[in-house]
């Protein structure tokens, strides 16, 4: 039964967000509920169990559809490809105790809020549901469920100051507290009994319970007991693991749930301060931040003063971040839109630590509570761990199909069994037992356990190599990776930067370069002052802390930060300023020190930071540093050297990181806090370029070469300058020397809704291309003398260059490079071109965290299996959405990443791919082996059923426990092959080679068993009644033959105690059992693949020894003829010639099976030839696109500009991915 989204019955929850869901309204109906209860009782709880597995069936059976307004039950369905259902009960919250009269209705702060719109009158109740720890209330006016626990986004900057600046009244706060619930990120430790029940109710364990009950009914005690022990062990290990995770997560969040905070209360227009526990906080509360370290228990907007915060818990980088107060802007824009991408600079995030506060004229640092509980940044991180995104992998889908096939097999066997036994007049109970037995034989209960062991061993091997995994099911997915996105700084290059040189500028001309470390120190002047004050460094725990770039720049001046509590500066009221002074090693300076009065923190959107500073006793000045292109745009044109672009490209082309510096003097008497950023950052004087060196890590180049040799694409996704990124990509080997780089530049056309896109080839060290490249880097024309329109390459360069470029393009040896801005515009205006650009896109520069996540998702849409390797900070979102995210940071922020490497080097990437490939192949081997083992046993049993016979209990036990269980445990020990081959293992079970392998081996097994079964009956010594006729020469057999031969051959596993023959013994039984048992060993050996993805089988010593031991025991059973042993194993004596014949049959089967596996199944050239012959092409989106572009001679266009239509696609929602809410790409966006 599906859902028909009728009017008012259906709505969307969290529209456009990562956890978007569809919601359907239902009302419980008494008679339906009564029928369901009767069904539970009559089915002995089976129906209840089915409803537990399928909550949507539960709702459809118990309830009737209705509008969401009337609903008392809601059904939720995810909007992703999995369409997972969940059931929630609607609850009512009463606020009548808080609202006694009309005067008590929510006050002015509440008029347009969801709180007043959710209270139903006259009952004074609020209708709510809780989904994934977040509470939603029913908005009576909007007729929809809305999230509570956060301030609404529609408030303007001035409204936040006006409405919440003096705090909430007690009544407003109480109403909000009841509706929002407590401000806690409460992750209780799950009781063991709950984990146990949840694990036991897994469909796999339910099937095992059914199997065990059946075996006990048939006196098959030993294996049933063994399965119980193994299952209990598996359950306890899983429960222990889950419990440990639960405890760890509980400890991670509990410290932030009970913090004493000071809040401001509004009592009859007057403000008063009150201390309370943090769990009482509600959105809109006014927090007062005191001096000293404070852990933040909620997300809050800073509305007065300044804070320095350690956000390492959320970003993974322990660099202090400066937060400034929200401006009192008087406009109608919501505060987030007004602040654009910089809104995070005013937000203090939950779980972070305030390490320093600086008050302004008011004397206190105040913040308005923005979000509480699980709505906060930390709550979002915790929810991403509690409710991970399910994985979509063909292997797991195919596994279910494979099990369905086995169940279909079993159904055929059941029908056959019922027919054979019923026609022979067996008792009904016995027929039922025998037919159900077929299911437990055809569907191996040990299959999931066998598959899990392979993953566990791989996880253990990875742990030894310093790679930790919190999502084991993703290990198999690593075996399919064919594209890896790398962050640059700290991932491909060293984390720290070295100061290489300074290119000062005077009177619009560059001076001689000043190299570092130099014999002579830098002379006093504007450039020196800029280096001394233009940073956000602080002294924390006796050390200078901050951005590594800032630290290096400041250390070069030999000045020190005066870390006393604060300094009052003339004309600046009570401003607490940071003062920098000459240190002991500093060259003489004509000033006592410089005070930093005000900071405009670094913004990745603006690509710069600024400070207002004042020499002690001197005038105020503005200093700005940032991306050279951006800084040059803010400077007066006459102060920028004519050769600015060529100098900039000279250094960026060598892979240097270049920072622009600028300054200007401020008019006397102006308060620094009254100035806007736009006023401060205008009409600047250009001071010069600071050149930093960012070296490649030692292991970067060999790793990228190894990936390239394995045909795994490498892509760079960075926040750095595009030219620097291209140079690093070339130095690292991502782009080879013979390949061409094409810069893709997209721009919005001013005054219209359309955009343009241009392709330009990047020719290194050619000055004629500098102007075109500078424009591609984001430089807008400032005056005619600086920029002219980009000249086409062929006009300036000789024809040979053009021919060389065209030749490279024709052979597909080209790479696209684009900036985050261009990527965003292409995604909005040129959506049809995006897949084509991604197919050869190698460098993505100036990318924001949201764009990184979006890029990974776009690659996934092209059917790439994407890995992301980053430092866990601004890559947090991309690490989470990638098929395999590998974090090189061990900070808590990387908790959302499936893999974490202890060593911060990309050497872990090929290691993970190797292990992933080995794990994937091991999974296929296990599937094939388990399928064959169950089919071999199934065929043998059905053959013997024809004669109303079966295997004995010890025969089953030997095959199930001594053979299969031991093989299942040891087969996965084989390690990964050290070399990455240029192709991947198959990603699905239902692939022609795999299916052919299984089908042919089933046919070999069937032929072997049928042949043995039929031929033994043709032997001259064969007798149906006298089972010892073949060995009459042995005395004790002669004595027993007459008394035994009269016993019946039916009565299966009822264990007739005290009799020599329990009804299983026959020549057919002995032949079929011995053949099928050794056949299991043959398929185990044949299916244990070694190269190219796993090490050769002989390196798995344990497995080889196990196989030799098992084969030895089996051959011993074939030739032993020990009476007591044969009697116990339900075997009978056969002539030596027949035993040798069986060994020959097995040898022929081994040879045939091995030959087919090696010559056909594993013959890669043969399958490639077949593909070519039948013109089979990969269905992957990117492969299809590659084939189309190979035929397109006009692609890629060179020196051409396209214009879009005026209609743009809104991608605001799609750009999000999962972005770390606190991180602004400070990583390398300068």
């Amino acid at each position: 039964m599906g859902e028909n989204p009728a009017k008012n019955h259906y709505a969307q929850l969290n529209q456009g967000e990562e956890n978007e869901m569809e919601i359907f309204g239902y009302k419980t109906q008494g008679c339906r509920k009564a029928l369901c209860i009767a069904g539970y009782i009559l089915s002995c709880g089976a129906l209840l169990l089915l409803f537990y597995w399928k909550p949507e069936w539960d709702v459809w059976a118990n309830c009737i559809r209705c509008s969401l307004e009337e609903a008392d039950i809601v059904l939720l369905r995810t909007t992703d490809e999995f369409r997972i259902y969940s059931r929630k009960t609607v609850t009512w919250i009463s606020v009548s105790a808080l609202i006694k009269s009309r005067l008590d209705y929510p006050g002015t702060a509440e008029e347009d809020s969801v709180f007043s719109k959710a209270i139903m009158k006259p009952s004074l109740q609020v209708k709510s549901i809780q989904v994934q720890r977040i509470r939603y209330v029913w908005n009576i006016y909007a007729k929809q469920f809305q999230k509570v626990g956060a301030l609404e986004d529609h408030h303007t900057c001035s409204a936040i100051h006006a409405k919440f600046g003096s705090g909430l009244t007690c009544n407003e706060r109480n109403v909000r507290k009841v509706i929002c619930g407590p401000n806690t990120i409460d992750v209780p430790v799950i009781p063991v009994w709950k984990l146990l029940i949840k694990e036991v109710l897994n469909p796999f364990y339910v099937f095992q319970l059914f199997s065990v009950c059946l075996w006990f009914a048939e006196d098959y005690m030993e294996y049933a007991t063994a399965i119980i022990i193994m299952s209990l062990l598996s359950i306890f290990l899983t429960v222990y693991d889950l419990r440990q995770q639960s405890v760890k997560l509980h400890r991670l969040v509990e410290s932030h749930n009970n913090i004493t905070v000071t809040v401001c209360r509004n009592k009859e227009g007057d403000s008063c301060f009150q201390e309370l526990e943090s769990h009482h906080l509600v959105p809109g509360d006014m927090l007062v931040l005191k001096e000293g370290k404070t852990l933040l228990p909620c997300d809050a907007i800073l509305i007065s003063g300044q804070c320095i915060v350690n956000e390492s818990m959320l970003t993974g980088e322990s660099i202090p971040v400066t937060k400034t107060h929200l401006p009192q802007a008087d406009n109608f824009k919501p505060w987030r839109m007004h602040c654009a991408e910089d809104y995070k600079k005013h937000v203090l995030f939950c779980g972070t630590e305030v390490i320093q506060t600086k008050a302004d004229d008011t004397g206190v640092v105040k913040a308005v509570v923005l979000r509480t509980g699980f709505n906060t940044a930390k709550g979002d991180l915790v929810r991403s761990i509690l409710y991970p995104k399910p994985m979509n992998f063909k292997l797991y889908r195919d596994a279910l199909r494979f099990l369905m096939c086995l169940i279909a097999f079993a159904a055929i066997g059941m029908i056959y069994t019922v027919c054979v036994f019923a026609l022979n007049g067996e008792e009904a109970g016995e027929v039922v037992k025998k037919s159900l037995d077929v299911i437990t034989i055809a569907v191996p209960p040990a299959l999931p356990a066998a598959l899990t062991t392979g993953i566990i061993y791989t996880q253990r091997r990875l742990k030894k190599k310093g790679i930790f995994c919190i999502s084991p099911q993703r290990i198999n997915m690593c075996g399919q990776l064919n594209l890896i996105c790398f962050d640059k700084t700290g991932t491909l290059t060293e984390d720290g930067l070295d100061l290489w040189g300074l290119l000062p500028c005077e009177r619009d001309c560059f001076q001689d370069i000043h190299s570092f470390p130099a014999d002579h120190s830098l002379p006093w002047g504007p450039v020196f002052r800029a280096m001394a004050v233009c940073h956000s460094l602080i002294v924390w725990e006796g050390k200078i802390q901050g951005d590594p770039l800032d630290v290096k720049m400041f250390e070069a001046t030999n000045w020190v930060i005066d870390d006393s509590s604060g300094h009052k500066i003339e004309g600046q009221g009570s401003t607490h300023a940071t003062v920098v002074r000459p240190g002991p090693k500093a060259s003489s300076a004509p000033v006592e020190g410089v005070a930093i009065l005000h900071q405009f923190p670094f913004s990745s959107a603006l690509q710069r930071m600024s400070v207002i500073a004042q020499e002690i006793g001197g005038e105020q000045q503005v200093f700005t540093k940032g991306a050279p292109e951006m800084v040059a745009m803010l400077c007066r044109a006459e102060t920028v050297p004519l050769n600015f672009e060529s100098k900039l490209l000279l250094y960026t082309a060598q892979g240097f990181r270049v920072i622009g510096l600028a300054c200007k003097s401020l008019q006397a008497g102006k308060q620094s806090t009254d100035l806007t950023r736009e006023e401060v950052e205008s009409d600047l004087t250009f001071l010069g370029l600071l050149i930093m060196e960012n070296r490649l890590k030692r292991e970067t180049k060999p790793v990228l070469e190894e990936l390239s040799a394995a045909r795994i694409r490498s892509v760079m996704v960075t926040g750095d300058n595009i030219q620097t990124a291209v140079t690093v990509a070339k130095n690292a080997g991502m782009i080879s020397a013979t390949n061409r780089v094409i810069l893709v530049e997209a721009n919005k056309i001013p005054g219209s809704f359309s955009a343009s896109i241009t392709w330009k080839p990047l020719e290194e060290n050619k000055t004629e291309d500098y102007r075109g490249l500078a424009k591609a880097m984001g430089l807008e024309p400032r005056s005619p003398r600086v920029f002219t329109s980009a000249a086409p390459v062929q006009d300036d360069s000789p024809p040979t260059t053009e021919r060389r470029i065209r030749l490279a393009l024709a052979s597909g040896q080209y790479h696209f490079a684009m900036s985050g801005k261009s990527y965003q515009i292409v995604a909005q205006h040129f959506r049809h071109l995006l897949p084509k650009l991604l197919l050869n896109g190698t460098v993505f520069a100036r990318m924001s965290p949201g764009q990184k996540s979006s890029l990974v998702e776009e690659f996934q849409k092209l059917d790439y299996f994407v890995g992301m390797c980053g430092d866990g900070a601004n890559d947090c979102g991309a690490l989470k959405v990638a098929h395999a995210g590998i974090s090189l940071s061990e900070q808590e922020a990387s908790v959302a990443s499936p893999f974490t490497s202890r060593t911060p080097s990309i050497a872990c990437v090929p290691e993970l791919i190797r292990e992933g490939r080995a794990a994937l192949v091991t999974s296929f081997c296990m599937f094939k082996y388990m399928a064959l083992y169950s089919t071999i046993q199934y065929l043998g049993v059905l053959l013997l059923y024809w004669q109303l016979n079966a295997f004995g209990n010890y025969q089953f036990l030997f095959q199930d426990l001594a053979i299969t269980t031991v093989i299942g445990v040891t087969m996965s020990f084989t390690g990964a092959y050290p070399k990455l081959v240029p192709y991947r293992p198959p990603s699905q079970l239902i692939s022609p080679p795999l299916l052919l392998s299984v089908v042919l081996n089933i046919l070999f097994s069937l032929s072997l068993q049928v042949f043995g079964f039929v031929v033994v009956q043709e032997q001259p010594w064969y007798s149906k009644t006298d089972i010892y006729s073949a060995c009459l020469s042995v005395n004790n057999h002669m004595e027993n033959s007459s008394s035994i031969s009269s016993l019946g051959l039916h009565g299966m596993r009822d264990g007739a105690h005290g009799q020599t023959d329990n009804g299983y013994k026959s020549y057919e039984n002995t032949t079929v059992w011995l053949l099928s048992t050794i056949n299991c060993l043959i398929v185990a050996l044949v299916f244990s693949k070694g190269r190219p993805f796993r090490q050769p089988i002989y390196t798995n010593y344990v497995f080889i020894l196990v196989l030799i031991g098992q084969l030895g025991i089996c051959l011993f059973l074939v030739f032993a003829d020990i009476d007591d042993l044969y009697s116990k194993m339900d075997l009978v004596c056969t002539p030596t010639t027949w035993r040798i014949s069986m060994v020959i049959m097995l040898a022929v089967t081994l040879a045939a099976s091995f030959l087919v596996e090696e010559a056909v199944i594993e013959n890669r050239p043969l399958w490639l030839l077949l593909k070519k012959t039948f013109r089979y092409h990969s269905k992957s989106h990117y492969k299809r696109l590659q084939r189309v572009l190979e035929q397109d001679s006009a692609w890629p266009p060179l020196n051409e500009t396209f214009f879009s239509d005026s209609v743009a696609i809104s991608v605001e929602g799609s750009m999000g991915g999962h972005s770390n809410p606190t991180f602004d790409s400070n990583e390398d966006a300068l």
Side-chain angles (χ1 to χ4, degrees), residues 187-205:
V187 183
V189 176
I190 306 164
V192 172
W193 65 268
K194 266 193 184 177
L195 290 170
L196 207 58
I197 288 171
K198 196 176 176 185
E199 192 63 23
V200 166
L201 292 180
N202 182 311
F204 156 63
Y205 287 118

Side-chain angles (χ1 to χ4, degrees), residues 31-316:
C31 58
R32 282 181 172 230
K33 198 164 179 98
L35 280 170
C36 285
I37 291 167
Y40 302 154
I41 296 162
L42 292 170
S43 64
C44 301
L47 185 63
L48 193 62
L49 187 65
L50 189 65
F51 284 169
Y52 169 79
W53 292 334
K54 291 277 186 184
E56 64 271 31
W57 294 3
D58 180 16
V59 174
W60 295 333
N62 281 284
C63 311
I64 54 166
R65 278 170 49 157
C66 67
S67 68
L68 284 165
E69 199 167 4
E70 301 169 287
D72 60 2
I73 298 284
V74 292
L75 190 61
L76 296 152
R77 182 174 68 191
T78 58
T79 53
D80 56 20
E81 69 233 72
F82 303 100
R83 319 283 275 178
I84 298 164
Y85 282 95
S86 55
R87 173 190 186 275
K88 297 289 169 190
T89 306
V90 174
T91 54
W92 292 89
I93 303 164
S94 174
V95 291
S96 56
L98 303 170
I99 303 175
K100 305 281 188 223
S101 65
R102 271 206 80 72
L103 295 170
D104 291 332
Y105 270 86
T108 52
E110 308 256 337
E111 281 167 7
D112 56 353
S113 76
V114 70
F115 301 102
S116 58
K117 292 174 182 174
I119 300 171
M120 294 189 176
K121 304 170 184 83
S123 63
L124 299 180
Q125 285 187 314
V126 176
K127 182 178 179 176
S128 76
I129 55 170
Q130 190 147 325
V131 182
Q132 292 186 351
R133 309 292 174 104
I134 289 196
R135 189 177 283 183
Y136 299 81
V137 296
W138 179 256
N139 185 326
I140 305 158
Y141 303 99
K143 303 280 185 209
Q144 65 181 30
F145 279 104
Q146 260 181 276
K147 203 182 279 187
V148 286
L151 276 190
E152 285 94 336
D153 289 336
H154 62 72
H155 293 297
T156 62
C157 294
S158 53
I160 287 173
H161 281 275
K163 285 183 180 179
F164 307 108
S166 54
L168 298 172
T169 64
C170 282
N171 191 55
E172 286 170 344
R173 198 196 66 78
N174 290 339
V175 170
R176 286 179 177 230
K177 191 184 170 200
V178 170
I179 295 173
C180 293
N183 169 41
T184 54
I185 301 172
D186 195 20
V187 183
V189 176
I190 306 164
V192 172
W193 65 268
K194 266 193 184 177
L195 290 170
L196 207 58
I197 288 171
K198 196 176 176 185
E199 192 63 23
V200 166
L201 292 180
N202 182 311
F204 156 63
Y205 287 118
V206 171
F207 174 64
Q208 279 208 336
L209 184 69
F210 158 75
S211 303
V212 165
C213 292
L214 184 66
W215 294 334
F216 274 122
E218 297 186 330
D219 286 336
Y220 186 32
M221 303 284 188
E222 293 86 349
Y223 188 58
T225 310
I227 284 288
I228 288 172
I229 292 165
M230 287 194 326
S231 298
L232 286 175
L233 196 66
S234 173
I235 289 168
F236 285 132
L237 282 171
T238 308
V239 167
Y240 175 76
D241 202 30
L242 290 169
R243 172 81 176 183
Q244 291 295 97
Q245 283 179 24
S246 181
V247 170
K248 192 177 174 185
L249 200 54
H250 175 74
R251 284 182 187 150
L252 179 74
V253 298
E254 70 174 338
S255 58
H256 301 150
N257 287 338
N258 282 313
I259 298 164
T260 304
V261 290
T262 306
V263 292
C264 187
R265 285 275 170 265
N266 188 344
K267 285 194 177 175
E268 297 167 9
D270 294 327
S271 294
C272 66
F273 297 123
Q274 181 185 340
E275 284 205 346
L276 49 85
E277 291 283 302
S278 62
H279 63 260
H280 293 299
L281 289 173
V282 295
D285 254 334
M286 169 62 61
L287 271 179
V288 178
L289 298 169
K290 298 190 173 174
E291 282 192 19
K293 288 187 182 179
T294 318
L295 267 177
L296 281 161
C298 60
D299 287 359
I301 310 167
L302 196 62
I303 62 164
S304 76
Q306 190 175 311
C307 287
I308 291 167
V309 185
N310 175 16
E311 293 187 338
S312 63
M313 199 294 295
L314 288 168
T315 65

Side-chain angles (χ1 to χ4, degrees), residues 321-322 324 339-346 536 599-610 625-627 630 677 681 719 846 848-849 1223-1230:
V321 180
T322 303
T324 56
C339 302
E341 284 182 41
D342 280 337
Y343 79 89
K344 292 168 191 165
K345 296 294 172 195
H346 312 302
S536 54
Q599 274 186 31
F600 294 97
F602 173 81
S603 154
S604 60
L606 302 174
Q607 298 175 8
R608 61 184 180 267
M609 76 160 290
S610 297
K625 82 168 193 299
M630 198 52 74
R677 190 160 190 163
E681 296 174 337
R846 294 274 187 252
S848 71
F1223 201 84
D1224 239 341
S1225 181
N1226 199 356
E1227 163 238 350
D1228 43 21
L1230 287 175

Side-chain angles (χ1 to χ4, degrees), residues 459-505:
Q459 209 174 341
R460 200 180 293 164
R461 283 198 295 269
L462 285 171
K463 198 173 179 179
K464 281 180 186 170
K465 289 168 183 172
I467 302 166
F468 298 94
C469 171
I470 60 162
S471 181
Q473 69 270 30
R474 293 208 191 214
I475 291 174
N476 276 337
M477 209 164 250
C478 293
Q480 282 296 303
L481 296 180
N482 55 359
L483 185 148
I484 313 287
C485 294
F486 291 100
D487 175 36
K488 183 179 79 69
T489 307
T491 304
L492 298 174
T493 59
E494 295 288 353
D495 223 345
L497 290 157
D498 291 318
L499 199 56
W500 185 83
L502 174 70
L503 196 63
C505 167

